[in-house]
Amino acid sequence: MTTTAAAPVVVATGLHVRYGTTQVLADTNLTVEAGAELAVTGRSGSGKTTLLLVLAGLLPPERGTVRWPGLDPAPVRRRGEIGLVFQAPSLLPELTAAQNVALPLRLRGSTVEAAGAATRAALGTVGLLDAADALPAQLSGGMQQRVAIARVLAGTPRLVLADEPTGALDRDSAFAVLAALRDSVTATGGALVVATHDDELAGLLAGRAVIDEGRLRSGARS
Amino acid sequence: MKALPWLAGLCRRRPFELLGAAVSIALAVAFIAALGGFVSDSTAGLTTRAAARVPVDWQVQVTPQGHPADVAATLARTPGVRAVLPVRMAIVPALQSSSATGSRTTGQAYVVSLDPGYAEAAPAEVRYLLGAHDGILLQQQTAANLAAGPGSTVTVSLPGGGQKALKVDGVADLPQADSFFQVVGAPPGAGATAPPDNVLLVPPPQFAALTGGATVIRQFHVLFGHAALPHDPAAAAALLTQRANHFQAQVAGGALVGDNLGAALSAAREDALYAQLLILLLGVPGLALAAVVAALVVALRGERRRREVALLRLRGARPAQILRIVAAETALTGGLGVLLGLPLAVLAVWLALPAGAHLALGWTVGATVAGLLMAAATQLGPAVRSTLRPGAEGIGTGVARVQPTGLPWPLRLGLDAVLLAGAVAVFALTARGGYQVVVVPEGVPVATVNYAALLAPALAWPGLALLIWRISIVLLGRRTGRFAFSWAARSGPGRAPEMEAAVIRARRRVIARGAAGLAVALGLAASTAIFTATYDKQARLDVALTVGADVAVTQPPGAVVGPGGGTALAGAPGVQAVEPLQHRLAYVGADLQDLYGIRPATIGRVAPLLDSFVPGSTIRTALHSLTTTPDGVLLAAETIHDYQLHPGDAVRLRLQTGPGHTYTQVGFHVVGVVREFPTAPKDSFIIANAAYIAKVTGSDAVGTFLIRSSTPTTTAAALRQSAAPGVQVHDIVADRAAVTSASGLASADLSGLSHLELGFGLILALACSGLALALGITERRRALVLLAALGATSRQRGRFLTAEARALLAGGLVGGAVIGTAIAYLLVKILTGIFDPAPTGLTIPAQYLSALVLSVLAASAAVLVVFGRLAGRAGPSQLRDL
C-alpha cells in the first residue's frame, strides 16, 4: 500500500518473514512517503513489530526488499535517520536518562555539547528535564518510555517507527508524546509509522493500515 | 514434565552449555584425582628414598655377654633380612710410614676387617679410589696423613707391643664414616661422635694378628629388603622398631641394634608431613578455584535457568517436579564431568608426575564424589532458590536489573581487614616460633605439625581476594579511575568515553568481583610458580654448594698439583673460568677442622657466594677483609663462640707444614665469621688466603679446581676422559639428582606437584578470565542488542566491552601479582624447613609469569571477539525482546 503521493521515505516490496514454521509477513508491500503518518493496527502476533523491525533495516526479510529512497544510502548514516521506539522502554540501565537520550547522538559523532543541548530539548519536550540525572530504575515505567521517546526525538530522525509507544502512558501523556513525534517528523519532513492496538490513538494519525495473518491492507482513513 | 525428555531436549538444543558445565566439573575431578596420584606416589617415594640413603640398615653390635654365632643365626631368622655382613674393628696405637722425605706417624688408628663381599653388598660404605679393591687398604685421609699410596709400606704398632709392616694394596674412602663408626646403643640425642682420622682396612684372616690384645668390636651389618616395607615412612619406622625389639628380646642382651634404617625412616616422617602441608597449601586453593570456575560456568546459565524455572512454574509444574528435572540435569553434567575428568587426571599424572605414578583408588573415588557434590552445589542450589522464590518475575524482561554499586556485605563488615589481620597475627606467631611448623623429635614416635600456622595462608587467601574486590570497587567508583579505564582522553568521532565510564561505574561491583576472581586464579598460578622457582633456585644453590661450582675437579689424596694445573683444565669445552681451592686440615685447639685456601679476589668468578654465608656482613666485605689481611681467617660462628674469639684477634692454628708434613703452629688473624662455603662441610671449617697457606706450609697443592662452565655436562665429560687416575670430576647437573633438600623432600617430588599446580593454575586462570568476561557479556547481551538497534557499529559495541574487559583485566592482573607474591612469601616462610639453604628472597619466574599473562590476555581477547559478536547479534527474538 502507499500512503501519500510525496517522495517515498521507505519502500517495502513483497516481504516474507517466517519464524520457524510460523509465517509472520506474507507478500507485504508498503511505501511510506515523506510527511506521512501511518498507524499499523492488528491483533497480537499479527506481525506489527516484525514489520517495523524490517522497515528499520534491523531484520532482513526472508524474501522481498526494503529500500529507503528518502534516507542516506550509507547503512550506518541511515541508521541515524531512523528513530525506533520499542514496546518496552529499552534503556541502558547503567546510564542516566540524559545519557540514554544522548547515547545515539554521541555514537553518531555529535560533540558532548551538541548532544547535551539536543538531550535537554528532547527531555523538556517529554516533560522530564528534572529527571535527567535519574537512572532508569529510579523512574516509573511511563517515565522510562518517555525517556525512550526523547531519545528518538533528540536524534531528529526522518523516519520514526514506534511500536506501541504509548502503552505505558496515561491518556494525556500518550497524546502529548504522539504530538511530539508528529511534530518531529513534520520538522524533518520525514514520516511516522506507529504500531498500536489503540484505536483512538490510531485515529489521530492520517493513515491507517491493518495487518492480518501477515498481510497488510489499507485502513479506513487517509 | 518428565526428566528424560527434558534431558534429551537439553542434549539436542544446548549441547555446548551442557558440555561447558561438564568440563568445569571435569577440571575439578581431574585436579583432585591427579593430586591423589601425587600424594600416593610421593608417600611411597619417601620410604623408598629414605631407605635408599641408608648404607646399612642395622648395625648390630655383639655385647660382651653375647655370642656372635647366635646373634648371626637370630639375625638370619629375622623377617625381611636380605644380608648379614660380619664386621670387626679394633684400635691400634699408631700407624707409621717412611719415605725419602722422612717418616710420619699417626695417632690411634682403627683396624677394620670386612668380608670380601662387603663392598658389593653395601656399596655406599666403601669407595675404592686407588689400587686394588682387596688386601690392605688405607682410608683416604690416612693415606694423606701418611703420604702413602698403593705399593707403600705402613707399619702398624700392635696393641700388645711390637710392630708389623704391611704393604698397601690400595686407597679407599669410607663415605659414611660417621655412621660406620657410630657408638651403637647410644641414647637418642646423645650427639654424633667424630669418625676416626686413621683407618686401615684389612682382610679377615689378617685381623687377628694385627689386633691381638685389643678390645675387638664385633658387629653385623644387616640389610633388609626395602620393597616389602610399608609406603608410609612412619609405619615403616614403627615396623623396624618392632623387629629390633623382637630381635633384642630373642638374643637376650647379647647384641645392641643401631637402627640406621629406622632412624632414616623416622626422619622421613618430616618429609611426609611436609608433603601433606604442601598438598594443603597448594592443593586446597586450587580445589577451591576449580569450584569457583564451575560456579562461574553455571552462573553463565543463571539467567536462563531462572526464566526456565519461572516458566515451568507458570505452566503448573510443582516445585518437586522442577527439582527432579534440575536434579537429573545435575546428575547428567556431574556424571559427564566425572567421565571426562578421570581420563584427564590420568593424562595429568602421566604428564606431570614421575614415571610409574598412577591414580590412587581412594582419591579417585573422592574426586568422583567431589565432582558430583560440586555439580549439585553449583546447579541444584541456585535452582532450589529459584524454585522456592514466590512469583514468576524471572520471566519478565523490561529494563534489566541495575547491579548494586555499593560495597557487598562482606566488605561492609570489614571482613577483608579482619581476615588479613588474622593472617598477619598468625604469621607473626609462626615467625616468632622460628617457622617451626613440623617438629619431629629424634627417637620419639610422635611428630607434631603446627597446623595453626596454615591459618595464615588460609586467612590470607580470602582476605586478599576481598581486599582486591574492595580496592577495585573504590577505584572504579572514582572519576579518575573510571576515566583511566575507559581511556577517555582518546575521545574521537563516534566515541562516547563518558558513556563507557558511566557503564563501568554502574557495573563496578560485578566488574570488581570478576577482577577479584581473576586475581585469585592468577594468584594461585603465580604463587605456585614463585614458590617452585624459589625452591628450584635454592636446590640449585644446594648442589652448587656441594659441588662447589658448575664443575669441580678434585685431586686424589697425596697428589700435589699446583694452581698451574688449572691451565690444562681451562682448555676443556665450555670452560669460562678456573679457580684453585686448597684443602687442608687444621687444628683449632683440639678440634680438627677443614681449612680452605682461596684467592678472595677471584673466587667469586666460579663459586656461588651469598651474603647469607657470612652472618652480620656481606660476602664482598668478608672477601675484601681477607684480601687486605694476608693472614686473615674466617671462622665458623661455633668456633668464634666456643673459643671466645672476636674479629681482629690473633689465633694460632696447627697445620701440616714442611716436607715432613708435621703439625706446626701458624699465626692468623680473625677477620670474620663464615656459615657456609662451596664444598665446605656444614659444621665448622676455616677460610684463609691461599697464598698465605702456601707460604706457611711450603705447599701450594690444590685440593679442588672449581670451574665455571657454560655447558657443565660437556665440560665434565671432557675432563673425565682426560683425568688422571683418582681424580674426581663432579658437575652441577649430574649431582643435582642426588641432592635432596634439607627435609629430604626430593626436588622430583616437588616438581611433580608444581607441574600439576602450574598446569591446572594456567587452565583455571584462563577459564576464570574467559568466564568472567563471558559472564559479563552474557549479562549485557540485551544492552548490546539495544546498542545495535540504536545504530552502534560492532566496533562501538566492542568498545563498551573492551572498556569493561580492561578494567577487569587490570584489576585481575595487579591483584594476581599482589596475591601471588604475598601467598608465595607466606608459603616460603611457613615451609622454610624444606629449603636448604634458606632463601633470602623470592625468585620470580619471569618466563612462566609472562606466558601466564599473555595467555590470559589472548584468551580474554578471544572471548571478547567471539562472545561479543554472538551477544551483539540482533536476531528476531532478541529484537522482539527489546
Side-chain angles (χ1 to χ4, degrees), chain B residues 700-730:
Chain B
D700 64 354
V702 174
T704 303
F705 286 99
L706 303 179
I707 297 169
R708 193 177 81 221
S709 167
S710 55
T711 52
T713 308
T714 313
T715 304
L719 291 176
R720 276 188 200 107
Q721 277 193 337
S722 60
V727 170
Q728 292 175 37
V729 180
H730 293 277

Side-chain angles (χ1 to χ4, degrees), chain A residues 117-155:
Chain A
T119 296
R120 280 190 295 279
L123 282 173
T125 302
V126 298
L128 284 177
L129 202 51
D130 292 343
D133 292 329
L135 288 168
Q138 296 166 316
L139 302 173
S140 68
M143 292 166 91
Q144 288 180 27
Q145 187 65 326
R146 278 150 66 195
V147 173
I149 289 163
R151 183 171 62 197
V152 170
L153 296 177

Side-chain angles (χ1 to χ4, degrees), chain B residues 644-670:
Chain B
Q644 290 288 295
L645 295 169
H646 301 92
D649 285 355
V651 61
R652 300 194 74 78
L653 308 179
R654 283 188 296 138
L655 279 83
Q656 288 180 320
T657 60
H661 289 76
T662 50
Y663 277 98
T664 314
Q665 285 195 0
V666 177
F668 288 90
H669 277 93
V670 179

Side-chain angles (χ1 to χ4, degrees), chain A residues 19 79 90 92 106-107 144, chain B residues 399 495 498 786 789 796 882:
Chain A
Y19 297 147
R79 280 294 307 116
S90 296
L92 286 176
R106 295 284 288 132
L107 294 175
Q144 288 180 27
Chain B
V399 174
R495 298 198 60 142
E498 77 283 7
L786 178 61
Q796 287 171 324
L882 287 174

